[in-house]
Amino acid sequence: MVPEQATPDGVADPDREVPGAAPVQPDSANASPDDTLNAAADAAEASIARLYGEPLLRLPTDLYIPPDALEIFLDAFEGPLDLLLYLIRKQNFNILDIPMAQVTLQYLEYVEQIRKSNLELAAEYLLMAAMLIEIKSRMLLPKRQDDLIEEVGDPRAELVRRLLDYEQIKLAAAQLGALPQVDRDFLRPELPIEQGLAPVWPHVDPHDLQRAWMDVLRRAKLTQHHRIGREELSVREHMSAILRTLQSRRFIEFAELFDGRAGVPVVVVHFVAMLELAKETLIEITQAEPFAPIYVRLAYSPA
């Protein structure tokens, strides 16, 4: 037990520390919420990581990290031509007079780094490396007598042409990519616009059309004749008759198109002709509101 140190007044001060005495740990049961939060904050600051939300104060002794787990390779080039153009432009070489030896060495160093991490990716770059070595070899070979007589072109000419074409296409692609694009740089505003001038007719319910047709059919049966005869009815003729009737009137009620005195067969053919005209979008069947009369009109303006 550590004795309490007395104050100059002779009264023991329990909060004053005694030299050489061990610090008194606060009782967790009597600790205040602020003390608990401070302790948690200290533990979080001292932790090296978090595992499932809990602070990890030291690394586990049985943790194995493979040697290549933290290896990162950034593929910053889009192909061999892109890498070669980067090496030339970075060192301000004249693209029309490329120092093949220096560029080839730098290119091979980069390919060696790729080969260590991604052999499949390095195959494409190795093809360009072989081309560079071939060009350098052709430049080192002594010229033959035939070559002196006949002027031979620069072995680098084809490579220079490809590099210039690639650089031009790359700059054009960058300019196109810098242009504003929909859904990437801006959004098109979509505002509903009410077309108040154009009349919006409600959709004709098929049941209303059926009821109107049944009403016409019922009235046609009331005035049918018992005359026996054969009559050839043409749907095309009835279609022409309907169009002639509608040309002189803007709207006509559905029931007025049918002559109940003509009999059921004529009414049926007349109805089929009206449906054919509606199918070919030559006429429109409209209704102002539910349960209102059905009207028929031309879908085009007569000449």
Side-chain angles (χ1 to χ4, degrees):
M1 181 176 180
V2 181
E4 297 179 350
Q5 186 175 3
T7 61
D9 299 335
V11 181
D13 187 1
D15 297 333
R16 188 171 183 180
E17 296 182 358
V18 180
V24 180
Q25 299 294 335
D27 190 0
S28 60
N30 298 327
S32 63
D34 294 339
D35 295 338
T36 306
L37 292 176
N38 293 334
D42 295 340
E45 292 179 359
S47 63
I48 58 175
R50 283 185 175 274
L51 182 61
Y52 298 108
E54 298 295 331
L56 187 65
L57 301 179
R58 60 180 179 177
L59 290 175
T61 56
D62 57 346
L63 180 62
Y64 172 73
I65 301 178
D68 57 346
L70 301 179
E71 184 176 358
I72 300 176
F73 177 74
L74 297 179
D75 184 16
F77 303 102
E78 298 179 359
L81 286 176
D82 195 19
L83 171 59
L84 192 58
L85 185 63
Y86 168 78
L87 294 176
I88 294 173
R89 293 305 186 194
K90 181 182 179 181
Q91 301 174 81
N92 295 324
F93 290 150
N94 185 3
I95 196 171
L96 301 178
D97 187 15
I98 304 174
M100 298 303 301
Q102 188 174 354
V103 172
T104 303
L105 289 177
Q106 296 176 0
Y107 186 91
L108 291 177
E109 290 179 1
Y110 182 80
V111 172
E112 183 65 21
Q113 296 178 5
I114 302 177
R115 189 183 61 81
K116 294 179 181 178
S117 58
N118 192 341
L119 186 60
E120 295 181 359
L121 182 62
E124 184 179 1
Y125 289 84
L126 286 173
L127 181 61
M128 177 60 70
M131 182 183 298
L132 295 176
I133 295 174
E134 179 188 2
I135 293 174
K136 182 59 180 177
S137 302
R138 290 171 58 187
M139 295 176 62
L140 293 176
L141 289 176
K143 295 184 179 180
R144 297 177 300 178
Q145 187 68 24
D146 298 339
D147 296 340
L148 295 176
I149 299 174
E150 182 180 356
E151 184 178 356
V152 181
D154 193 340
R156 301 169 294 182
E158 178 63 21
L159 178 62
V160 170
R161 184 190 62 80
R162 292 177 59 185
L163 286 173
L164 291 176
D165 292 344
Y166 176 78
E167 186 177 25
Q168 185 178 4
I169 295 175
K170 184 177 180 181
L171 292 176
Q175 293 175 359
L176 289 176
L179 295 177
Q181 295 185 12
V182 182
D183 298 333
R184 188 194 70 176
D185 302 317
F186 65 93
L187 297 175
R188 290 180 178 176
E190 297 181 1
L191 299 176
I193 301 177
E194 296 183 1
Q195 300 292 339
L197 300 179
V200 180
W201 305 103
H203 178 69
V204 178
D205 189 74
H207 297 288
D208 295 340
L209 186 61
Q210 181 183 9
R211 283 194 294 268
W213 158 245
M214 294 302 295
D215 185 55
V216 172
L217 191 61
R218 179 181 56 81
R219 285 182 291 173
K221 289 181 179 180
L222 294 177
T223 58
Q224 63 183 352
H225 302 281
H226 297 283
R227 185 168 31 190
I228 299 174
R230 181 178 180 182
E231 183 180 4
E232 294 182 1
L233 302 174
S234 173
V235 177
R236 287 292 178 184
E237 292 180 2
H238 284 262
M239 290 171 63
S240 301
I242 293 174
L243 291 177
R244 285 195 300 269
T245 304
L246 293 176
Q247 283 180 355
S248 59
R249 302 175 62 178
R250 183 178 180 185
F251 291 95
I252 187 170
E253 193 175 353
F254 177 80
E256 294 181 7
L257 283 175
F258 301 90
D259 186 6
R261 296 172 299 178
V264 175
V266 177
V267 172
V268 171
V269 173
H270 208 66
F271 181 73
V272 172
M274 187 196 70
L275 294 180
E276 286 292 333
L277 289 173
K279 179 181 178 182
E280 294 177 7
T281 65
L282 294 176
I283 64 173
E284 292 180 358
I285 303 173
T286 60
Q287 189 180 33
E289 59 184 6
F291 305 106
I294 298 175
Y295 292 92
V296 182
R297 68 170 184 174
L298 290 176
Y300 61 92
S301 299

